[in-house]
Amino acid sequence: ETGVTQTPRHLVMGMTNKKSLKCEQHLGHNAMYWYKQSAKKPLELMFVYSLEERVENNSVPSRFSPECPNSSHLFLHLHTLQPEDSALYLCASSQERGLDYGYTFGSGTRLTVV
Amino acid sequence: DQQVKQNSPSLSVQEGRISILNCDYTNSMFDYFLWYKKYPAEGPTFLISISSIKDKNEDGRFTVFLNKSAKHLSLHIVPSQPGDSAVYFCAARGGADGLTFGKGTHLIIQP
Protein backbone atom coordinates (compact mmCIF):
# COMPACT_ATOMS: atom_id res chain seq x y z
CA GLU A 1 0.00 0.00 0.00
CA THR A 2 1.66 3.20 -1.17
CA GLY A 3 -0.68 5.62 0.59
CA VAL A 4 -1.84 7.02 -2.74
CA THR A 5 -4.76 5.14 -4.25
CA GLN A 6 -5.94 5.57 -7.81
CA THR A 7 -9.14 4.25 -9.31
CA PRO A 8 -9.91 2.72 -11.66
CA ARG A 9 -6.75 0.79 -12.48
CA HIS A 10 -7.84 0.33 -16.07
CA LEU A 11 -10.28 2.32 -18.17
CA VAL A 12 -11.43 1.93 -21.75
CA MET A 13 -13.52 4.77 -23.09
CA GLY A 14 -14.91 5.96 -26.39
CA MET A 15 -14.08 9.35 -27.79
CA THR A 16 -17.54 10.69 -26.95
CA ASN A 17 -17.58 9.45 -23.37
CA LYS A 18 -17.11 11.38 -20.17
CA LYS A 19 -15.21 9.70 -17.37
CA SER A 20 -13.28 10.65 -14.26
CA LEU A 21 -10.09 9.39 -12.68
CA LYS A 22 -9.85 9.49 -8.93
CA CYS A 23 -6.87 9.82 -6.64
CA GLU A 24 -6.87 9.67 -2.87
CA GLN A 25 -3.98 10.07 -0.45
CA HIS A 26 -3.88 9.34 3.26
CA LEU A 27 -0.43 10.70 3.95
CA GLY A 28 -1.36 14.15 5.17
CA HIS A 29 0.31 15.69 2.13
CA ASN A 30 -0.88 19.05 0.90
CA ALA A 31 0.31 18.98 -2.70
CA MET A 32 -1.02 16.66 -5.39
CA TYR A 33 -0.07 16.14 -9.00
CA TRP A 34 -1.29 14.51 -12.19
CA TYR A 35 1.35 13.04 -14.50
CA LYS A 36 0.94 11.39 -17.88
CA GLN A 37 3.19 8.58 -19.02
CA SER A 38 3.03 7.76 -22.72
CA ALA A 39 5.04 5.03 -24.38
CA LYS A 40 8.68 5.98 -24.88
CA LYS A 41 8.18 9.45 -23.43
CA PRO A 42 9.15 11.01 -20.12
CA LEU A 43 6.61 11.44 -17.39
CA GLU A 44 4.81 14.67 -18.22
CA LEU A 45 3.49 16.93 -15.51
CA MET A 46 -0.11 17.89 -16.23
CA PHE A 47 -1.43 19.66 -13.14
CA VAL A 48 -0.27 20.69 -9.69
CA TYR A 49 -2.44 21.46 -6.72
CA SER A 50 -0.95 22.98 -3.60
CA LEU A 51 -3.23 23.54 -0.60
CA GLU A 52 -6.12 22.90 -3.01
CA GLU A 53 -5.00 25.76 -5.24
CA ARG A 54 -4.39 24.84 -8.84
CA VAL A 55 -1.28 25.84 -10.74
CA GLU A 56 -2.25 26.55 -14.32
CA ASN A 57 -0.70 24.45 -17.03
CA ASN A 58 -1.63 25.92 -20.40
CA SER A 59 -0.08 23.11 -22.39
CA VAL A 60 -2.72 20.59 -21.30
CA PRO A 61 -5.77 20.43 -23.60
CA SER A 62 -9.07 21.53 -22.11
CA ARG A 63 -10.52 18.03 -22.59
CA PHE A 64 -8.64 17.28 -19.36
CA SER A 65 -10.17 19.01 -16.36
CA PRO A 66 -8.76 18.56 -12.84
CA GLU A 67 -10.63 18.99 -9.60
CA CYS A 68 -9.31 19.05 -6.05
CA PRO A 69 -12.20 19.26 -3.58
CA ASN A 70 -9.89 18.84 -0.57
CA SER A 71 -6.26 18.08 0.16
CA SER A 72 -6.85 14.32 0.17
CA HIS A 73 -8.69 13.93 -3.12
CA LEU A 74 -7.85 14.74 -6.70
CA PHE A 75 -9.89 14.04 -9.81
CA LEU A 76 -9.16 14.21 -13.50
CA HIS A 77 -12.31 14.65 -15.57
CA LEU A 78 -12.06 13.43 -19.13
CA HIS A 79 -14.30 14.30 -22.07
CA THR A 80 -14.09 13.92 -25.82
CA LEU A 81 -10.63 12.39 -25.65
CA GLN A 82 -8.54 11.33 -28.62
CA PRO A 83 -6.81 7.98 -29.19
CA GLU A 84 -3.45 9.67 -28.62
CA ASP A 85 -4.56 10.40 -25.05
CA SER A 86 -4.21 6.70 -24.29
CA ALA A 87 -1.53 6.49 -21.61
CA LEU A 88 -0.83 5.71 -17.98
CA TYR A 89 -2.07 8.53 -15.76
CA LEU A 90 -0.24 8.80 -12.48
CA CYS A 91 -1.24 10.74 -9.41
CA ALA A 92 1.38 11.80 -6.87
CA SER A 93 1.46 13.70 -3.62
CA SER A 94 4.11 15.44 -1.55
CA GLN A 95 4.35 17.15 1.79
CA GLU A 96 4.58 20.58 0.24
CA ARG A 97 4.88 21.87 -3.26
CA GLY A 98 8.49 22.20 -4.36
CA LEU A 99 10.27 21.05 -1.20
CA ASP A 100 12.90 18.40 -0.90
CA TYR A 101 10.63 15.44 -0.48
CA GLY A 102 10.24 12.52 -2.78
CA TYR A 103 6.83 12.26 -4.27
CA THR A 104 4.61 9.33 -3.44
CA PHE A 105 2.97 7.96 -6.55
CA GLY A 106 -0.17 5.92 -6.99
CA SER A 107 -0.20 2.82 -9.19
CA GLY A 108 -1.78 4.72 -12.04
CA THR A 109 -4.80 4.37 -14.30
CA ARG A 110 -4.15 2.73 -17.64
CA LEU A 111 -6.42 4.62 -20.04
CA THR A 112 -7.29 3.40 -23.52
CA VAL A 113 -9.31 5.65 -25.80
CA VAL A 114 -11.03 3.84 -28.64
CA ASP B 1 13.10 19.85 -25.75
CA GLN B 2 14.03 17.31 -23.13
CA GLN B 3 15.67 18.83 -20.10
CA VAL B 4 16.38 15.49 -18.44
CA LYS B 5 17.82 12.78 -20.63
CA GLN B 6 18.37 9.12 -20.02
CA ASN B 7 20.02 7.97 -23.20
CA SER B 8 20.03 4.26 -22.48
CA PRO B 9 16.55 2.75 -22.83
CA SER B 10 17.79 -0.50 -21.34
CA LEU B 11 20.75 -1.96 -19.48
CA SER B 12 21.59 -5.57 -18.77
CA VAL B 13 23.87 -6.43 -15.82
CA GLN B 14 24.91 -9.71 -14.28
CA GLU B 15 23.78 -10.41 -10.74
CA GLY B 16 26.40 -9.36 -8.20
CA ARG B 17 28.01 -6.82 -10.51
CA ILE B 18 27.66 -3.05 -10.43
CA SER B 19 24.80 -1.36 -12.29
CA ILE B 20 25.42 2.21 -13.44
CA LEU B 21 22.50 4.25 -14.70
CA ASN B 22 23.21 7.61 -16.26
CA CYS B 23 21.26 10.83 -16.54
CA ASP B 24 22.10 14.15 -18.19
CA TYR B 25 20.32 17.44 -17.78
CA THR B 26 20.42 20.76 -19.56
CA ASN B 27 18.81 23.18 -17.11
CA SER B 28 21.40 24.70 -14.79
CA MET B 29 18.58 25.91 -12.52
CA PHE B 30 17.85 22.38 -11.34
CA ASP B 31 18.78 22.20 -7.67
CA TYR B 32 17.62 18.76 -6.61
CA PHE B 33 17.73 15.40 -8.29
CA LEU B 34 15.90 12.19 -7.56
CA TRP B 35 15.85 8.62 -8.76
CA TYR B 36 12.65 6.61 -8.91
CA LYS B 37 12.18 2.92 -9.48
CA LYS B 38 9.14 1.49 -11.22
CA TYR B 39 7.90 -2.07 -11.44
CA PRO B 40 5.28 -3.07 -14.03
CA ALA B 41 1.72 -2.19 -13.05
CA GLU B 42 2.93 -0.05 -10.16
CA GLY B 43 3.62 3.65 -9.72
CA PRO B 44 7.19 4.92 -9.38
CA THR B 45 8.69 4.71 -5.90
CA PHE B 46 11.28 7.10 -4.54
CA LEU B 47 14.75 5.59 -4.32
CA ILE B 48 17.40 8.18 -3.54
CA SER B 49 18.02 11.89 -4.03
CA ILE B 50 20.81 14.43 -4.04
CA SER B 51 20.97 18.16 -3.59
CA SER B 52 22.96 20.22 -6.08
CA ILE B 53 25.30 21.32 -3.27
CA LYS B 54 26.56 17.76 -2.89
CA ASP B 55 28.39 15.46 -5.24
CA LYS B 56 27.56 12.12 -3.65
CA ASN B 57 24.84 10.53 -1.60
CA GLU B 58 24.89 6.94 -0.44
CA ASP B 59 22.13 4.72 0.92
CA GLY B 60 22.99 1.07 1.33
CA ARG B 61 23.62 -0.48 -2.08
CA PHE B 62 22.61 2.73 -3.85
CA THR B 63 24.86 5.69 -4.50
CA VAL B 64 24.08 8.74 -6.58
CA PHE B 65 26.87 10.89 -7.98
CA LEU B 66 26.40 14.40 -9.28
CA ASN B 67 28.81 16.21 -11.60
CA LYS B 68 27.44 19.72 -11.90
CA SER B 69 30.02 20.96 -14.36
CA ALA B 70 29.08 18.15 -16.73
CA LYS B 71 25.36 18.35 -15.84
CA HIS B 72 25.47 14.63 -15.28
CA LEU B 73 24.35 12.31 -12.55
CA SER B 74 24.55 8.59 -12.15
CA LEU B 75 23.05 5.92 -9.95
CA HIS B 76 25.28 3.06 -8.87
CA ILE B 77 23.81 -0.16 -7.53
CA VAL B 78 26.24 -2.63 -6.04
CA PRO B 79 25.91 -5.52 -5.80
CA SER B 80 23.04 -5.84 -8.25
CA GLN B 81 20.25 -8.19 -7.25
CA PRO B 82 17.40 -9.77 -9.26
CA GLY B 83 14.86 -7.56 -7.44
CA ASP B 84 16.59 -4.52 -8.87
CA SER B 85 15.18 -5.33 -12.29
CA ALA B 86 12.85 -2.40 -12.98
CA VAL B 87 12.62 0.87 -14.87
CA TYR B 88 14.63 3.66 -13.27
CA PHE B 89 13.62 7.28 -13.76
CA CYS B 90 15.85 10.25 -13.19
CA ALA B 91 14.00 13.40 -12.09
CA ALA B 92 15.02 16.97 -11.42
CA ARG B 93 13.52 19.92 -9.64
CA GLY B 94 14.14 23.45 -10.82
CA GLY B 95 11.35 25.39 -9.30
CA ALA B 96 8.22 25.09 -7.27
CA ASP B 97 6.07 23.21 -9.73
CA GLY B 98 6.58 19.52 -10.08
CA LEU B 99 9.49 17.40 -11.20
CA THR B 100 10.92 16.93 -14.68
CA PHE B 101 11.48 13.28 -15.51
CA GLY B 102 13.64 11.43 -17.98
CA LYS B 103 12.27 8.64 -20.19
CA GLY B 104 13.61 5.94 -17.93
CA THR B 105 16.11 3.10 -18.24
CA HIS B 106 14.98 -0.50 -18.03
CA LEU B 107 17.50 -2.36 -15.87
CA ILE B 108 17.63 -6.11 -16.32
CA ILE B 109 19.61 -8.15 -13.81
CA GLN B 110 20.68 -11.49 -15.24
CA PRO B 111 21.31 -14.49 -12.98
Side-chain angles (χ1 to χ4, degrees):
Chain A
E1 178 57 54
T2 65
V4 177
T5 304
Q6 288 187 245
T7 54
R9 292 294 303 272
H10 301 272
L11 178 62
V12 179
M13 61 185 288
M15 289 189 284
T16 58
N17 291 160
K18 289 185 180 180
K19 296 286 184 182
S20 296
L21 309 185
K22 179 181 176 182
C23 177
E24 189 172 353
Q25 58 97 359
H26 304 283
L27 301 168
H29 290 170
N30 52 23
M32 296 185 78
Y33 313 81
W34 279 116
Y35 278 87
K36 176 184 178 182
Q37 186 183 15
S38 304
K40 300 182 181 179
K41 287 187 177 181
L43 283 164
E44 300 170 64
L45 178 64
M46 299 178 72
F47 300 103
V48 179
Y49 276 85
S50 176
L51 298 172
E52 300 156 43
E53 178 186 330
R54 171 178 163 181
V55 175
E56 293 297 330
N57 187 334
N58 296 327
S59 66
V60 180
S62 59
R63 56 186 183 268
F64 295 93
S65 175
E67 178 190 1
C68 187
N70 54 62
S71 61
S72 299
H73 294 85
L74 184 65
F75 295 89
L76 187 62
H77 303 300
L78 316 171
H79 64 97
T80 59
L81 294 193
Q82 304 298 312
E84 59 264 29
D85 297 322
S86 298
L88 179 69
Y89 289 84
L90 289 161
C91 173
S93 69
S94 66
Q95 183 63 32
E96 279 192 48
R97 170 181 155 192
L99 294 186
D100 299 345
Y101 298 101
Y103 294 5
T104 302
F105 281 87
S107 297
T109 295
R110 174 68 64 184
L111 174 67
T112 303
V113 181
V114 296
Chain B
D1 182 37
Q2 267 189 271
Q3 297 188 67
V4 177
K5 299 177 184 178
Q6 293 177 259
N7 292 318
S8 298
S10 66
L11 175 67
S12 185
V13 175
Q14 203 165 13
E15 182 179 356
R17 300 288 186 100
I18 183 171
S19 295
I20 301 176
L21 298 108
N22 293 305
C23 178
D24 297 292
Y25 62 95
T26 58
N27 189 342
S28 57
M29 299 301 292
F30 287 144
D31 62 356
Y32 202 75
F33 303 90
L34 307 92
W35 284 95
Y36 282 82
K37 176 180 180 180
K38 185 181 183 301
Y39 292 117
E42 294 183 15
T45 55
F46 172 71
L47 191 57
I48 193 170
S49 63
I50 188 167
S51 166
S52 61
I53 62 173
K54 296 184 176 180
D55 55 17
K56 177 182 176 182
N57 187 26
E58 189 173 354
D59 183 4
R61 297 186 298 113
F62 303 91
T63 304
V64 55
F65 294 93
L66 175 61
N67 182 334
K68 282 187 68 178
S69 61
K71 294 192 176 67
H72 176 84
L73 65 157
S74 60
L75 174 66
H76 292 214
I77 307 172
V78 57
S80 300
Q81 297 175 355
D84 297 330
S85 295
V87 178
Y88 289 79
F89 291 96
C90 172
R93 189 197 74 171
D97 301 327
L99 298 174
T100 302
F101 285 83
K103 289 185 180 182
T105 296
H106 185 192
L107 177 64
I108 302 162
I109 305 301
Q110 295 181 333

